[in-house]
Amino acid sequence: MKPGLFSFIGDEFENVFQYSDLFLPGIEKIAGIYFSQREKQIRILSRKRDHEIDDNFEEVLRKPETMVMIQKFRTENHQFAWIKKEDLPFEIAPQRLTVPTIFTELDNVILVLRFKNEHDKLNDLLMIYFNQNLGNFGLNKADKVLTADHKVIIGHLLYYQFKSFLQLNLSNRKLLRTLNNGVMAVIGENMSFKDQLSQIKASYGDNMISVSLQHLQKLSKEYGRTYLLAEDAVNKIREFKGNMKHIPVILENAIVFTENLLMPGGEEEIVNIQSYSLDFDSYQVIEKTEQFTRKIDSRQSKAMQFLDKLEMAAIGLKNKNIAIISSKVGQALMPPISAPAITDALGKNRELIRQLIEKYPDKWETIRKEFKPLANQLRKSETIDLKEESA
């Protein structure tokens, strides 16, 4: 387990070894054989008192006959048992006596604790190496031998102590995974909103370019010269934050600027409008609108966003010569919604929308004039106001 991580992240058995000194001060050694879900294989760990965890048992695990014996040993169902080293059903590297392993011959009594592994349905083994006396427990009579009664009590207590630790780790990890799923859902929703906003901005920018090109065609006929937008001018128009109705004036001014000050040759049939010819400063939306949007409550902000979406959808339909009706506008929204849903949203926010329409006379020009559901709701709002005044 890496520093800085929750204690229950990773393999439960590895966490046990990290904190074994807290569980069992004074023991000689603790060893474990278990199936690691993360690595999808059997692992062996060992830790001597005052030493680091040893997991260098690849050579042992590569032997097929050893693996057969280990798996057989994991099939026994007793919760705990006291055995000696000689009781183990296998030997590991007996010819290398100078290199200690988890089964090095010691004059210790070994307590084997077995815990069901939910992944391969066999038992994981936790082996605790004790001295043959009560000195492990800090008693004065360290030379007093562990009796059978002592062993039953110790085995019972340690089995449930480690079982509770393992189950608590598992429960905490499941809870953390549930919380992670919730966090990932929020992150995913935010990313979706960002994608939608990017699509809306891109669509709005494309509509600005489309309107600009259409008007340039008209101006080209008037001036008898073909006007095109340079690449930097296209990018500048795409980022324009002002009202779209100002685009024709901005383009006319750009042509006047180009013709009078730059004086392209009379024989030139095609003239590129450069970005520096586009005067946006005189028509750019003042940032106070954005500041106000941040300050107003979320309900107003959502209403403004809804009107923005309707406006951009309506502009897109208009550029394609498609009727600006509820069903078509709803299909053009991201994500699409039904015509009744649009009517319902406008009706629920009728008064708020009326206030926004009055406050920002230069915004939402297309749906003001050509989207009947909005006009109907505004008329209803005016009727209600007249009734209240006459009452």
Side-chain angles (χ1 to χ4, degrees):
M1 183 187 69
K2 295 182 179 180
L5 298 180
F6 286 121
S7 62
F8 48 82
I9 292 180
D11 289 322
E12 286 86 352
F13 264 59
E14 187 174 353
N15 295 335
V16 167
F17 282 77
Q18 292 286 347
Y19 298 100
S20 60
D21 289 342
L22 300 178
F23 292 117
L24 298 168
I27 62 170
E28 290 296 327
K29 180 172 149 184
I30 184 171
I33 303 173
Y34 69 100
F35 180 82
S36 170
Q37 180 192 7
R38 182 176 58 191
E39 300 182 12
K40 307 300 181 186
Q41 64 181 9
I42 296 294
R43 290 193 69 196
I44 299 177
L45 299 177
S46 175
R47 184 180 182 185
K48 291 184 177 180
R49 184 169 59 191
D50 301 325
H51 286 68
E52 296 297 322
I53 298 174
D54 182 11
D55 62 352
N56 187 25
F57 297 99
E58 290 82 2
E59 184 177 348
V60 173
L61 295 171
R62 279 197 295 266
K63 296 180 179 180
E65 63 275 14
T66 302
M67 289 301 300
V68 171
M69 290 186 288
I70 286 176
Q71 292 297 69
K72 183 178 179 181
F73 198 49
R74 294 181 65 219
T75 60
E76 298 185 21
N77 293 321
H78 298 293
Q79 293 179 344
F80 65 89
W82 288 87
I83 63 173
K84 293 184 179 180
K85 189 237 177 215
E86 293 80 9
D87 297 328
L88 293 172
F90 50 87
E91 294 281 342
I92 295 183
Q95 71 277 14
R96 299 176 62 187
L97 297 177
T98 57
V99 180
T101 71
I102 66 170
F103 301 112
T104 300
E105 185 159 358
L106 295 173
D107 294 329
N108 292 351
V109 176
I110 304 172
L111 172 61
V112 181
L113 304 176
R114 300 183 178 91
F115 306 96
K116 181 68 69 176
N117 188 300
E118 295 300 325
H119 302 288
D120 72 349
K121 306 305 178 182
L122 298 179
N123 289 313
D124 293 331
L125 308 176
L126 186 63
M127 289 165 280
I128 304 169
Y129 289 67
F130 288 88
N131 293 320
Q132 292 181 335
N133 54 54
L134 295 175
N136 299 284
F137 304 98
L139 300 178
N140 292 331
K141 296 181 179 180
D143 57 342
K144 189 172 181 180
V145 179
L146 287 172
T147 67
D149 291 338
H150 291 149
K151 293 177 182 178
V152 171
I153 295 173
I154 294 169
H156 185 83
L157 291 175
L158 291 183
Y159 172 79
Y160 284 101
Q161 177 183 354
F162 282 105
K163 183 178 181 180
S164 63
F165 177 80
L166 294 173
Q167 289 184 340
L168 184 61
N169 277 358
L170 182 61
S171 298
N172 285 334
R173 193 162 68 245
K174 287 182 178 179
L175 176 59
L176 181 61
R177 187 173 291 113
T178 301
L179 296 176
N180 287 343
N181 291 338
V183 172
M184 292 305 297
V186 173
I187 293 174
E189 186 176 6
N190 287 339
M191 293 300 295
S192 176
F193 286 148
K194 286 184 178 180
D195 290 341
Q196 291 181 30
L197 180 60
S198 297
Q199 292 175 8
I200 291 172
K201 288 181 177 179
S203 176
Y204 186 74
D206 291 341
N207 290 333
M208 298 285 283
I209 299 300
S210 178
V211 170
S212 300
L213 293 176
Q214 290 178 16
H215 195 69
L216 273 183
Q217 290 180 355
K218 178 182 177 182
L219 294 173
S220 295
K221 293 179 181 179
E222 293 180 5
Y223 283 82
R225 194 197 298 268
T226 300
Y227 294 103
L228 301 177
L229 291 173
E231 184 177 355
D232 59 346
V234 170
N235 294 331
K236 186 173 181 179
I237 290 174
R238 193 184 303 277
E239 300 298 323
F240 180 56
K241 296 181 180 180
N243 194 314
M244 189 177 291
K245 72 178 183 180
H246 298 310
I247 288 294
V249 177
I250 292 173
L251 291 174
E252 290 177 20
N253 291 341
I255 289 176
V256 170
F257 175 87
T258 301
E259 291 287 348
N260 287 287
L261 298 182
L262 302 184
M263 293 188 300
E267 69 279 2
E268 293 185 25
E269 296 182 357
I270 299 176
V271 176
N272 285 323
I273 303 299
Q274 304 296 329
S275 62
Y276 52 76
S277 302
L278 301 171
D279 175 21
F280 282 179
D281 291 340
S282 300
Y283 302 93
Q284 195 82 8
V285 174
I286 301 175
E287 294 300 322
K288 289 181 181 179
T289 301
E290 295 182 2
Q291 294 173 2
F292 176 78
T293 303
R294 288 194 291 269
K295 291 179 181 178
I296 60 180
D297 61 48
S298 60
R299 191 160 170 262
Q300 286 180 310
S301 179
K302 289 179 180 178
M304 291 186 71
Q305 292 173 9
F306 184 60
L307 290 174
D308 288 340
K309 289 181 179 180
L310 293 178
E311 176 71 10
M312 282 182 279
I315 291 172
L317 295 174
K318 186 175 183 179
N319 290 336
K320 298 176 183 178
N321 294 320
I322 299 175
I324 303 176
I325 58 177
S326 294
S327 59
K328 298 297 184 182
V329 172
Q331 292 174 6
L333 294 176
M334 291 293 294
I337 62 175
S338 64
I342 292 178
T343 302
D344 182 62
L346 291 173
K348 288 181 178 178
N349 299 280
R350 182 189 305 119
E351 182 59 26
L352 190 57
I353 288 174
R354 183 179 67 82
Q355 294 174 6
L356 292 172
I357 291 289
E358 293 176 354
K359 188 174 185 66
Y360 301 102
D362 290 336
K363 290 178 70 68
W364 312 300
E365 185 173 1
T366 303
I367 57 176
R368 284 172 188 261
K369 297 178 179 178
E370 304 182 43
F371 192 46
K372 289 184 179 180
L374 176 61
N376 292 337
Q377 294 298 331
L378 294 177
R379 278 196 295 271
K380 288 182 181 180
S381 181
E382 293 174 358
T383 302
I384 292 173
D385 287 345
L386 291 174
K387 288 182 178 179
E388 291 178 351
E389 291 177 1
S390 61

